[in-house]
Coordinates of all heavy atoms in Angstrom, one line a residue:
M133 N 114.6 -49.7 88.8 CA 113.4 -49.9 89.6 C 113.7 -49.8 91.1 O 114.8 -50.3 91.6 CB 112.9 -51.4 89.4 CG 111.6 -51.7 90.1 SD 111.2 -53.4 89.9 CE 112.5 -54.3 90.7
K134 N 112.9 -49.1 91.8 CA 113.1 -48.9 93.2 C 113.0 -50.2 94.0 O 112.1 -51.0 93.7 CB 112.0 -47.9 93.8 CG 112.2 -47.6 95.2 CD 111.1 -46.7 95.7 CE 111.2 -46.4 97.2 NZ 110.1 -45.5 97.7
K135 N 113.9 -50.4 94.9 CA 113.8 -51.6 95.8 C 112.8 -51.2 96.9 O 113.1 -50.3 97.6 CB 115.2 -52.0 96.3 CG 116.2 -52.3 95.2 CD 115.7 -53.4 94.3 CE 116.8 -53.8 93.3 NZ 116.3 -54.8 92.3
L136 N 111.8 -52.0 97.1 CA 110.8 -51.7 98.0 C 110.9 -52.4 99.3 O 111.5 -53.5 99.4 CB 109.4 -52.1 97.4 CG 109.0 -51.5 96.1 CD1 107.8 -52.2 95.5 CD2 108.7 -50.0 96.3
L137 N 110.5 -51.8 100.4 CA 110.4 -52.4 101.7 C 108.9 -52.7 101.9 O 108.1 -51.8 102.0 CB 111.0 -51.5 102.8 CG 110.8 -52.1 104.2 CD1 111.5 -53.4 104.4 CD2 111.3 -51.1 105.2
I138 N 108.6 -54.0 102.0 CA 107.2 -54.4 102.1 C 106.9 -55.0 103.5 O 107.6 -55.9 103.9 CB 106.9 -55.5 101.0 CG1 107.2 -54.9 99.6 CG2 105.4 -55.9 101.1 CD1 107.2 -55.9 98.5
A139 N 105.9 -54.4 104.1 CA 105.5 -54.9 105.5 C 104.3 -55.8 105.3 O 103.2 -55.3 104.9 CB 105.3 -53.7 106.4
L140 N 104.5 -57.0 105.7 CA 103.4 -58.0 105.5 C 102.8 -58.3 106.9 O 103.6 -58.6 107.9 CB 103.9 -59.3 104.9 CG 103.0 -60.5 104.7 CD1 101.9 -60.1 103.7 CD2 103.8 -61.7 104.2
D141 N 101.5 -58.2 107.1 CA 100.8 -58.6 108.3 C 100.8 -60.1 108.5 O 100.9 -60.8 107.5 CB 99.4 -58.0 108.3 CG 98.6 -58.4 109.5 OD1 99.1 -58.2 110.6 OD2 97.5 -58.8 109.3
Y142 N 100.6 -60.5 109.7 CA 100.5 -62.0 110.0 C 99.1 -62.5 110.1 O 98.6 -63.1 109.2 CB 101.4 -62.3 111.2 CG 101.4 -63.8 111.5 CD1 102.2 -64.6 110.8 CD2 100.7 -64.3 112.6 CE1 102.2 -66.0 111.0 CE2 100.7 -65.7 112.8 CZ 101.5 -66.5 112.0 OH 101.5 -67.8 112.3
D143 N 98.5 -62.1 111.3 CA 97.1 -62.6 111.5 C 96.1 -62.1 110.5 O 96.0 -60.9 110.4 CB 96.7 -62.3 113.0 CG 97.5 -63.0 114.0 OD1 97.3 -64.2 114.1 OD2 98.3 -62.3 114.7
G144 N 95.4 -63.0 109.9 CA 94.4 -62.5 108.9 C 94.9 -62.2 107.6 O 94.2 -61.9 106.7
T145 N 96.2 -62.2 107.5 CA 96.9 -61.9 106.2 C 97.7 -63.1 105.8 O 97.3 -64.0 105.0 CB 97.7 -60.6 106.2 OG1 96.8 -59.5 106.6 CG2 98.3 -60.3 104.8
Y146 N 98.9 -63.2 106.3 CA 99.8 -64.4 106.1 C 99.1 -65.7 106.4 O 99.2 -66.6 105.6 CB 101.1 -64.2 106.8 CG 102.0 -65.4 106.6 CD1 102.9 -65.4 105.4 CD2 102.1 -66.5 107.4 CE1 103.7 -66.5 105.2 CE2 102.9 -67.6 107.2 CZ 103.7 -67.6 106.1 OH 104.6 -68.6 105.8
T147 N 98.4 -65.7 107.5 CA 97.7 -66.9 108.0 C 96.7 -67.4 107.1 O 96.3 -68.6 107.1 CB 97.1 -66.7 109.4 OG1 96.2 -65.6 109.3 CG2 98.1 -66.4 110.4
E148 N 96.1 -66.5 106.2 CA 95.0 -66.9 105.4 C 95.4 -67.8 104.2 O 94.5 -68.5 103.7 CB 94.2 -65.7 104.9 CG 93.7 -64.9 106.0 CD 92.9 -65.7 107.0 OE1 91.8 -66.2 106.7 OE2 93.4 -65.9 108.2
D149 N 96.6 -67.7 103.8 CA 97.1 -68.6 102.7 C 98.6 -68.6 102.8 O 99.3 -67.8 102.0 CB 96.6 -68.1 101.4 CG 96.9 -69.1 100.2 OD1 97.8 -70.0 100.4 OD2 96.2 -69.0 99.2
T150 N 99.2 -69.4 103.6 CA 100.6 -69.3 103.8 C 101.4 -69.7 102.6 O 102.5 -69.1 102.3 CB 101.1 -70.3 105.0 OG1 100.7 -71.6 104.6 CG2 100.4 -69.9 106.3
K151 N 100.9 -70.6 101.8 CA 101.6 -70.9 100.5 C 101.7 -69.7 99.5 O 102.7 -69.5 98.9 CB 101.0 -72.1 99.8 CG 101.3 -73.4 100.5 CD 100.8 -74.6 99.6 CE 101.3 -75.9 100.1 NZ 100.9 -76.3 101.5
L152 N 100.6 -69.0 99.5 CA 100.5 -67.8 98.6 C 101.5 -66.8 99.1 O 102.3 -66.3 98.3 CB 99.1 -67.2 98.7 CG 99.0 -65.8 98.1 CD1 99.2 -65.9 96.5 CD2 97.7 -65.1 98.4
W153 N 101.6 -66.5 100.4 CA 102.5 -65.5 100.8 C 103.9 -65.9 100.8 O 104.8 -65.1 100.6 CB 102.0 -65.0 102.2 CG 100.7 -64.3 102.1 CD1 99.5 -64.7 102.6 CD2 100.4 -63.1 101.4 NE1 98.5 -63.8 102.3 CE2 99.1 -62.8 101.5 CE3 101.2 -62.2 100.6 CZ2 98.5 -61.7 100.9 CZ3 100.6 -61.1 100.0 CH2 99.3 -60.8 100.2
D154 N 104.2 -67.2 101.1 CA 105.5 -67.7 100.9 C 106.0 -67.5 99.5 O 107.2 -67.1 99.3 CB 105.6 -69.2 101.3 CG 105.5 -69.5 102.8 OD1 105.7 -68.5 103.6 OD2 105.3 -70.7 103.1
A155 N 105.2 -67.8 98.5 CA 105.6 -67.6 97.1 C 105.8 -66.1 96.9 O 106.7 -65.7 96.2 CB 104.5 -68.1 96.2
F156 N 104.9 -65.3 97.4 CA 105.1 -63.8 97.2 C 106.4 -63.3 97.8 O 107.1 -62.6 97.2 CB 103.9 -63.1 97.9 CG 104.1 -61.6 97.9 CD1 103.8 -60.8 96.8 CD2 104.6 -61.0 99.0 CE1 104.0 -59.4 96.8 CE2 104.8 -59.6 99.1 CZ 104.5 -58.8 97.9
I157 N 106.7 -63.8 99.1 CA 107.9 -63.4 99.7 C 109.1 -63.8 98.9 O 110.1 -63.0 98.7 CB 108.0 -64.0 101.2 CG1 106.9 -63.4 102.0 CG2 109.4 -63.7 101.8 CD1 106.6 -64.2 103.3
A158 N 109.1 -65.0 98.4 CA 110.2 -65.5 97.6 C 110.4 -64.7 96.3 O 111.5 -64.3 95.9 CB 110.0 -67.0 97.3
L159 N 109.3 -64.4 95.7 CA 109.3 -63.7 94.4 C 109.8 -62.3 94.7 O 110.7 -61.8 93.9 CB 107.9 -63.7 93.8 CG 107.8 -63.1 92.4 CD1 108.6 -63.8 91.4 CD2 106.3 -63.1 92.0
A160 N 109.3 -61.6 95.7 CA 109.6 -60.2 96.0 C 111.1 -60.2 96.3 O 111.8 -59.3 95.9 CB 108.8 -59.7 97.1
T161 N 111.6 -61.1 97.1 CA 113.0 -61.1 97.5 C 113.9 -61.4 96.3 O 114.9 -60.7 96.2 CB 113.2 -62.2 98.6 OG1 112.3 -62.0 99.7 CG2 114.6 -62.2 99.1
R162 N 113.5 -62.3 95.5 CA 114.3 -62.5 94.3 C 114.4 -61.3 93.4 O 115.4 -61.1 92.7 CB 113.7 -63.7 93.5 CG 114.2 -65.1 94.0 CD 114.1 -66.1 92.9 NE 112.7 -66.3 92.3 CZ 111.8 -67.0 92.8 NH1 112.0 -67.7 93.9 NH2 110.6 -67.1 92.3
A163 N 113.3 -60.5 93.4 CA 113.3 -59.3 92.6 C 114.0 -58.1 93.3 O 114.1 -57.0 92.7 CB 111.8 -58.9 92.4
G164 N 114.6 -58.4 94.4 CA 115.4 -57.4 95.1 C 114.7 -56.6 96.1 O 115.3 -55.7 96.7
H165 N 113.5 -56.9 96.4 CA 112.8 -56.2 97.4 C 113.0 -56.8 98.8 O 113.5 -57.9 98.9 CB 111.3 -56.1 97.1 CG 111.0 -55.6 95.7 ND1 111.3 -54.3 95.3 CD2 110.4 -56.2 94.6 CE1 111.0 -54.1 94.1 NE2 110.4 -55.2 93.6
R166 N 112.6 -56.1 99.8 CA 112.8 -56.6 101.2 C 111.4 -56.8 101.8 O 110.6 -55.9 101.6 CB 113.6 -55.6 102.0 CG 115.0 -55.3 101.5 CD 115.6 -54.1 102.0 NE 115.6 -54.1 103.5 CZ 115.6 -53.0 104.2 NH1 115.4 -51.8 103.7 NH2 115.6 -53.1 105.5
V167 N 111.2 -57.9 102.4 CA 109.9 -58.2 103.0 C 110.1 -58.4 104.5 O 110.9 -59.2 104.9 CB 109.2 -59.4 102.4 CG1 107.8 -59.6 103.0 CG2 109.0 -59.2 100.9
I168 N 109.4 -57.7 105.3 CA 109.4 -57.8 106.7 C 108.0 -58.2 107.2 O 107.0 -58.0 106.4 CB 109.8 -56.6 107.5 CG1 108.9 -55.4 107.2 CG2 111.3 -56.2 107.2 CD1 109.2 -54.2 108.1
C169 N 107.8 -58.8 108.3 CA 106.5 -59.1 108.9 C 106.3 -58.2 110.1 O 107.2 -58.1 111.0 CB 106.4 -60.6 109.2 SG 104.7 -61.0 109.7
C170 N 105.2 -57.5 110.2 CA 104.8 -56.7 111.3 C 103.4 -57.0 111.7 O 102.5 -56.9 110.9 CB 105.0 -55.2 110.9 SG 104.7 -54.1 112.3
M171 N 103.3 -57.3 113.0 CA 101.9 -57.7 113.5 C 101.7 -57.0 114.9 O 102.6 -56.5 115.5 CB 101.9 -59.2 113.6 CG 102.7 -59.8 114.8 SD 103.2 -61.4 114.5 CE 104.5 -61.1 113.2
M172 N 100.4 -57.1 115.3 CA 100.1 -56.5 116.6 C 100.4 -57.4 117.8 O 100.3 -57.0 118.9 CB 98.5 -56.2 116.6 CG 98.1 -55.2 115.6 SD 98.8 -53.6 115.9 CE 97.6 -52.9 117.0
R173 N 100.8 -58.6 117.6 CA 101.0 -59.6 118.7 C 102.1 -59.1 119.6 O 103.0 -58.3 119.2 CB 101.5 -60.9 118.1 CG 100.4 -61.7 117.4 CD 100.9 -63.0 117.1 NE 99.8 -63.8 116.4 CZ 99.7 -65.2 116.5 NH1 100.6 -65.8 117.2 NH2 98.8 -65.8 115.9
Y174 N 102.1 -59.6 120.8 CA 103.2 -59.5 121.8 C 104.2 -60.6 121.5 O 103.8 -61.8 121.3 CB 102.7 -59.7 123.2 CG 101.8 -58.5 123.7 CD1 100.4 -58.7 123.8 CD2 102.4 -57.3 124.1 CE1 99.6 -57.7 124.2 CE2 101.6 -56.3 124.5 CZ 100.2 -56.5 124.6 OH 99.4 -55.4 125.0
E175 N 105.5 -60.3 121.5 CA 106.5 -61.3 121.1 C 106.6 -62.3 122.2 O 106.7 -63.5 121.9 CB 107.9 -60.6 121.0 CG 109.0 -61.6 120.6 CD 110.3 -60.9 120.2 OE1 110.4 -59.7 120.4 OE2 111.2 -61.7 119.8
D176 N 106.6 -61.9 123.5 CA 106.9 -62.9 124.5 C 105.9 -64.0 124.7 O 106.2 -65.1 125.0 CB 107.2 -62.2 125.9 CG 106.1 -61.3 126.3 OD1 105.2 -61.0 125.5 OD2 106.1 -60.8 127.4
T177 N 104.6 -63.6 124.5 CA 103.5 -64.6 124.8 C 102.9 -65.1 123.5 O 102.2 -66.2 123.5 CB 102.4 -64.0 125.7 OG1 101.9 -62.8 125.0 CG2 102.9 -63.7 127.0
E178 N 103.1 -64.5 122.4 CA 102.4 -64.8 121.2 C 103.3 -65.0 119.9 O 102.8 -65.1 118.8 CB 101.4 -63.7 120.8 CG 100.4 -63.5 121.9 CD 99.5 -62.2 121.6 OE1 100.1 -61.2 121.2 OE2 98.3 -62.3 121.9
G179 N 104.6 -65.0 120.2 CA 105.5 -64.9 119.1 C 106.1 -66.2 118.5 O 106.6 -66.3 117.4
D180 N 106.1 -67.3 119.3 CA 106.8 -68.5 118.9 C 106.3 -69.1 117.6 O 107.1 -69.5 116.7 CB 106.7 -69.6 120.0 CG 107.5 -69.2 121.3 OD1 108.3 -68.2 121.2 OD2 107.4 -69.9 122.3
E181 N 105.0 -69.2 117.5 CA 104.4 -69.8 116.2 C 104.8 -69.0 115.0 O 105.2 -69.5 114.0 CB 102.9 -69.8 116.4 CG 102.1 -69.8 115.1 CD 100.6 -69.3 115.3 OE1 100.2 -69.2 116.5 OE2 100.0 -69.0 114.3
V182 N 104.8 -67.7 115.2 CA 105.2 -66.8 114.1 C 106.6 -67.0 113.7 O 107.0 -67.1 112.5 CB 104.9 -65.3 114.4 CG1 105.3 -64.4 113.3 CG2 103.5 -65.1 114.9
K183 N 107.5 -67.0 114.7 CA 108.9 -67.2 114.4 C 109.2 -68.5 113.7 O 110.0 -68.6 112.8 CB 109.7 -67.1 115.7 CG 109.7 -65.7 116.3 CD 110.4 -65.7 117.7 CE 110.3 -64.4 118.4 NZ 110.8 -64.5 119.8
D184 N 108.5 -69.6 114.2 CA 108.7 -70.9 113.6 C 108.3 -70.9 112.1 O 108.9 -71.5 111.3 CB 107.8 -71.9 114.3 CG 108.4 -72.3 115.7 OD1 109.6 -71.9 116.0 OD2 107.6 -72.9 116.5
L185 N 107.2 -70.2 111.8 CA 106.7 -70.1 110.4 C 107.5 -69.2 109.5 O 107.7 -69.5 108.3 CB 105.3 -69.7 110.4 CG 104.2 -70.8 110.5 CD1 102.8 -70.2 110.6 CD2 104.3 -71.7 109.3
L186 N 108.0 -68.1 110.0 CA 108.5 -67.1 109.1 C 110.0 -66.9 109.2 O 110.6 -66.2 108.3 CB 107.8 -65.7 109.4 CG 106.4 -65.6 108.9 CD1 105.8 -64.3 109.3 CD2 106.3 -65.8 107.4
R187 N 110.7 -67.4 110.2 CA 112.1 -67.2 110.3 C 112.8 -67.8 109.1 O 112.5 -68.9 108.7 CB 112.6 -67.9 111.6 CG 114.1 -67.6 111.8 CD 114.6 -68.2 113.1 NE 114.1 -67.5 114.3 CZ 113.6 -68.1 115.4 NH1 113.4 -69.4 115.4 NH2 113.3 -67.4 116.4
G188 N 113.7 -67.0 108.5 CA 114.4 -67.5 107.3 C 113.6 -67.1 106.0 O 114.2 -67.3 104.9
K189 N 112.4 -66.7 106.1 CA 111.6 -66.3 105.0 C 111.6 -64.8 104.8 O 112.0 -64.3 103.8 CB 110.2 -66.8 105.1 CG 110.0 -68.3 105.0 CD 108.6 -68.7 105.2 CE 108.5 -70.2 105.3 NZ 107.1 -70.7 105.7
V190 N 111.2 -64.1 105.9 CA 111.2 -62.6 105.8 C 112.5 -62.1 106.4 O 113.2 -62.8 107.2 CB 110.0 -62.0 106.6 CG1 108.7 -62.4 105.9 CG2 109.9 -62.5 108.0
E191 N 112.8 -60.9 106.1 CA 114.0 -60.3 106.6 C 114.0 -60.1 108.1 O 115.0 -60.4 108.8 CB 114.2 -58.9 105.9 CG 115.5 -58.2 106.3 CD 115.7 -56.9 105.5 OE1 115.8 -57.0 104.3 OE2 115.7 -55.9 106.1
R192 N 112.9 -59.6 108.7 CA 112.8 -59.4 110.1 C 111.4 -59.5 110.5 O 110.5 -59.3 109.7 CB 113.3 -58.0 110.6 CG 114.8 -57.9 110.6 CD 115.3 -56.5 111.1 NE 115.1 -56.4 112.5 CZ 115.4 -55.2 113.2 NH1 115.9 -54.2 112.5 NH2 115.1 -55.1 114.4
I193 N 111.1 -59.9 111.8 CA 109.8 -60.0 112.3 C 109.6 -58.9 113.4 O 110.5 -58.9 114.3 CB 109.5 -61.4 112.9 CG1 109.7 -62.4 111.8 CG2 108.1 -61.5 113.4 CD1 109.7 -63.9 112.3
F194 N 108.6 -58.2 113.4 CA 108.3 -57.1 114.4 C 107.0 -57.4 115.1 O 106.0 -57.6 114.4 CB 108.3 -55.8 113.7 CG 109.6 -55.3 113.2 CD1 110.0 -55.6 111.9 CD2 110.6 -54.7 114.0 CE1 111.2 -55.2 111.4 CE2 111.8 -54.3 113.5 CZ 112.1 -54.6 112.2
F195 N 107.0 -57.3 116.4 CA 105.9 -57.5 117.2 C 105.5 -56.1 117.8 O 106.2 -55.6 118.7 CB 106.1 -58.5 118.3 CG 106.5 -59.9 117.8 CD1 107.8 -60.2 117.5 CD2 105.4 -60.8 117.5 CE1 108.1 -61.5 117.0 CE2 105.7 -62.1 117.0 CZ 107.1 -62.4 116.8
A196 N 104.4 -55.6 117.4 CA 104.1 -54.2 117.8 C 103.5 -54.2 119.2 O 103.4 -53.1 119.8 CB 103.1 -53.6 116.8
G197 N 103.1 -55.3 119.7 CA 102.5 -55.4 121.1 C 101.3 -54.5 121.3 O 101.2 -53.8 122.3
R198 N 100.4 -54.6 120.3 CA 99.1 -53.8 120.3 C 99.3 -52.3 120.1 O 98.3 -51.6 120.2 CB 98.3 -54.1 121.6 CG 98.0 -55.5 121.9 CD 97.2 -56.3 120.9 NE 96.7 -57.6 121.4 CZ 97.4 -58.7 121.3 NH1 98.6 -58.7 120.7 NH2 97.0 -59.8 121.7
K199 N 100.5 -51.9 119.8 CA 100.7 -50.5 119.5 C 100.6 -50.4 117.9 O 100.7 -51.3 117.2 CB 102.1 -50.0 119.9 CG 102.3 -50.1 121.4 CD 101.5 -49.0 122.1 CE 101.9 -48.9 123.6 NZ 101.1 -48.0 124.3
N200 N 100.3 -49.1 117.5 CA 100.2 -49.0 116.1 C 101.5 -49.3 115.4 O 102.6 -49.0 115.9 CB 99.6 -47.6 115.7 CG 100.7 -46.5 115.9 OD1 101.5 -46.3 115.1 ND2 100.6 -45.8 117.1
K201 N 101.4 -49.9 114.2 CA 102.5 -50.4 113.5 C 103.5 -49.4 113.0 O 104.7 -49.6 113.0 CB 102.1 -51.3 112.4 CG 101.3 -52.6 112.9 CD 100.8 -53.4 111.7 CE 100.0 -54.6 112.2 NZ 99.6 -55.4 111.1
I202 N 102.9 -48.3 112.6 CA 103.8 -47.2 112.0 C 104.8 -46.7 113.0 O 106.0 -46.5 112.7 CB 103.0 -46.2 111.3 CG1 103.8 -45.5 110.2 CG2 102.4 -45.1 112.2 CD1 102.9 -44.8 109.1
E203 N 104.3 -46.5 114.2 CA 105.2 -46.0 115.3 C 106.1 -47.1 115.8 O 107.3 -46.9 116.1 CB 104.4 -45.5 116.5 CG 103.9 -44.1 116.3 CD 103.3 -43.5 117.5 OE1 103.6 -43.9 118.7 OE2 102.4 -42.6 117.4
A204 N 105.6 -48.4 115.9 CA 106.4 -49.5 116.3 C 107.6 -49.7 115.4 O 108.7 -49.9 115.9 CB 105.6 -50.8 116.4
L205 N 107.4 -49.6 114.1 CA 108.5 -49.7 113.2 C 109.3 -48.5 113.1 O 110.6 -48.5 113.0 CB 108.0 -50.0 111.8 CG 107.4 -51.4 111.6 CD1 107.0 -51.6 110.1 CD2 108.3 -52.5 112.0
G206 N 108.7 -47.3 113.3 CA 109.4 -46.1 113.3 C 110.5 -46.0 114.4 O 111.5 -45.4 114.2
T207 N 110.2 -46.6 115.5 CA 111.2 -46.6 116.6 C 112.5 -47.4 116.2 O 113.5 -47.2 116.8 CB 110.7 -47.2 117.9 OG1 110.3 -48.6 117.7 CG2 109.5 -46.5 118.4
H208 N 112.3 -48.2 115.2 CA 113.5 -48.9 114.6 C 114.0 -48.3 113.3 O 114.8 -48.9 112.6 CB 113.1 -50.4 114.3 CG 112.7 -51.2 115.5 ND1 113.6 -51.8 116.4 CD2 111.5 -51.4 116.0 CE1 113.0 -52.4 117.3 NE2 111.7 -52.2 117.2
E209 N 113.5 -47.1 113.1 CA 113.9 -46.3 111.8 C 113.5 -47.2 110.6 O 114.3 -47.2 109.6 CB 115.4 -46.0 111.8 CG 115.8 -45.1 112.9 CD 115.3 -43.7 112.8 OE1 115.4 -43.2 111.6 OE2 114.8 -43.1 113.7
I210 N 112.4 -47.8 110.7 CA 111.9 -48.6 109.5 C 110.6 -48.1 109.0 O 109.7 -47.9 109.8 CB 111.8 -50.1 110.0 CG1 113.1 -50.7 110.3 CG2 111.0 -50.9 108.9 CD1 113.1 -52.1 110.8
F211 N 110.6 -47.7 107.7 CA 109.5 -47.0 107.1 C 109.1 -47.8 105.8 O 109.7 -47.5 104.7 CB 109.9 -45.6 106.8 CG 110.4 -44.9 108.0 CD1 111.8 -44.7 108.2 CD2 109.5 -44.4 109.0 CE1 112.3 -44.0 109.4 CE2 110.0 -43.8 110.2 CZ 111.4 -43.6 110.3
P212 N 108.2 -48.7 105.9 CA 107.8 -49.5 104.7 C 107.3 -48.6 103.6 O 106.6 -47.6 103.8 CB 106.7 -50.4 105.2 CG 107.0 -50.5 106.7 CD 107.5 -49.1 107.1
D213 N 107.6 -49.1 102.3 CA 107.0 -48.4 101.2 C 105.6 -48.9 100.9 O 104.7 -48.2 100.4 CB 107.8 -48.8 99.9 CG 109.3 -48.3 100.0 OD1 109.4 -47.0 100.1 OD2 110.2 -49.1 100.1
I214 N 105.3 -50.2 101.3 CA 104.1 -50.8 101.0 C 103.7 -51.7 102.2 O 104.5 -52.4 102.8 CB 104.1 -51.7 99.8 CG1 104.4 -50.9 98.5 CG2 102.8 -52.5 99.6 CD1 104.6 -51.7 97.3
W215 N 102.4 -51.5 102.6 CA 101.8 -52.4 103.7 C 100.8 -53.3 103.1 O 100.0 -52.9 102.3 CB 101.1 -51.5 104.7 CG 102.0 -50.5 105.4 CD1 102.3 -49.2 105.0 CD2 102.5 -50.6 106.7 NE1 103.1 -48.6 105.9 CE2 103.2 -49.4 107.0 CE3 102.5 -51.6 107.7 CZ2 103.9 -49.2 108.2 CZ3 103.2 -51.3 108.9 CH2 103.9 -50.2 109.1
I216 N 100.9 -54.6 103.5 CA 99.9 -55.6 103.1 C 99.2 -56.0 104.4 O 99.9 -56.7 105.2 CB 100.6 -56.7 102.3 CG1 101.3 -56.2 101.1 CG2 99.5 -57.8 102.0 CD1 102.1 -57.3 100.4
D217 N 98.0 -55.7 104.5 CA 97.3 -55.9 105.8 C 95.8 -56.0 105.7 O 95.2 -55.3 105.0 CB 97.6 -54.6 106.7 CG 97.5 -54.9 108.2 OD1 96.5 -55.5 108.6 OD2 98.5 -54.6 108.9
D218 N 95.3 -57.0 106.4 CA 93.8 -57.3 106.3 C 93.1 -56.2 107.1 O 91.9 -56.0 106.9 CB 93.4 -58.7 106.8 CG 93.6 -58.8 108.3 OD1 94.7 -58.5 108.8 OD2 92.6 -59.1 109.0
A219 N 93.7 -55.6 108.0 CA 93.1 -54.6 108.9 C 94.0 -53.4 109.0 O 94.6 -53.2 110.0 CB 92.8 -55.2 110.3
P220 N 94.0 -52.6 107.9 CA 95.0 -51.5 107.9 C 94.8 -50.4 108.9 O 95.8 -49.6 109.1 CB 94.8 -51.0 106.4 CG 93.5 -51.4 106.0 CD 93.2 -52.7 106.7
H221 N 93.7 -50.3 109.6 CA 93.6 -49.3 110.7 C 94.7 -49.5 111.8 O 95.1 -48.6 112.4 CB 92.2 -49.2 111.2 CG 91.7 -50.5 111.8 ND1 91.3 -51.6 110.9 CD2 91.6 -51.0 113.0 CE1 90.9 -52.6 111.7 NE2 91.0 -52.3 112.9
W222 N 95.1 -50.8 111.9 CA 96.1 -51.1 113.0 C 97.5 -50.5 112.6 O 98.4 -50.5 113.4 CB 96.2 -52.6 113.3 CG 95.0 -53.2 113.8 CD1 94.4 -54.3 113.4 CD2 94.2 -52.7 114.9 NE1 93.3 -54.6 114.1 CE2 93.1 -53.6 115.0 CE3 94.2 -51.5 115.7 CZ2 92.1 -53.4 116.0 CZ3 93.2 -51.3 116.7 CH2 92.2 -52.3 116.8
I223 N 97.7 -50.1 111.3 CA 98.9 -49.4 111.0 C 99.0 -48.1 111.7 O 100.1 -47.7 112.2 CB 99.0 -49.2 109.4 CG1 99.0 -50.6 108.7 CG2 100.2 -48.4 109.1 CD1 98.8 -50.4 107.2
F224 N 97.8 -47.5 112.0 CA 97.8 -46.1 112.6 C 97.3 -46.1 114.0 O 97.5 -45.1 114.7 CB 97.0 -45.2 111.7 CG 97.5 -45.1 110.3 CD1 96.9 -45.9 109.3 CD2 98.6 -44.4 109.9 CE1 97.4 -45.8 108.0 CE2 99.1 -44.3 108.6 CZ 98.5 -45.1 107.6
D225 N 96.5 -47.1 114.3 CA 95.8 -47.1 115.6 C 96.3 -48.1 116.6 O 96.6 -49.2 116.2 CB 94.3 -47.3 115.4 CG 93.6 -46.3 114.6 OD1 94.1 -45.2 114.5 OD2 92.5 -46.6 114.0
D226 N 96.4 -47.7 117.9 CA 96.7 -48.7 118.9 C 95.5 -49.6 119.2 O 94.4 -49.2 119.0 CB 97.1 -48.0 120.2 CG 98.3 -47.1 120.1 OD1 99.2 -47.4 119.2 OD2 98.5 -46.3 121.0
A227 N 95.8 -50.8 119.6 CA 94.7 -51.7 119.9 C 94.5 -51.8 121.4 O 93.7 -52.7 121.9 CB 95.0 -53.1 119.3
I228 N 95.1 -51.0 122.2 CA 94.9 -51.0 123.6 C 94.5 -49.6 124.1 O 94.7 -48.6 123.4 CB 96.2 -51.4 124.4 CG1 97.4 -50.6 123.9 CG2 96.4 -52.9 124.2 CD1 98.7 -50.9 124.7
Ligands
MG570 MG1 95.8 -58.8 110.6

């Protein structure tokens, strides 16, 4: 089975049922997959709450800073197999 890299959104996704997504992250990780969190937020002004909630759960947290997520992750050579996102247009579109 292919080991997947799963990009989970925060606002409107993880936030909507943190217990559900915590269980998902734990299950996916136990199955050998990798889960990262990628969101449109700015790290410096909007990141503390996210880090407090997700540090130690997901492999890494990425703050796209209102840029489209696919490029934001691409600059780190990170290319998710699966995106979980309530507003998937932000994967491809900038918000500024
Ligand atoms: Mg969202």
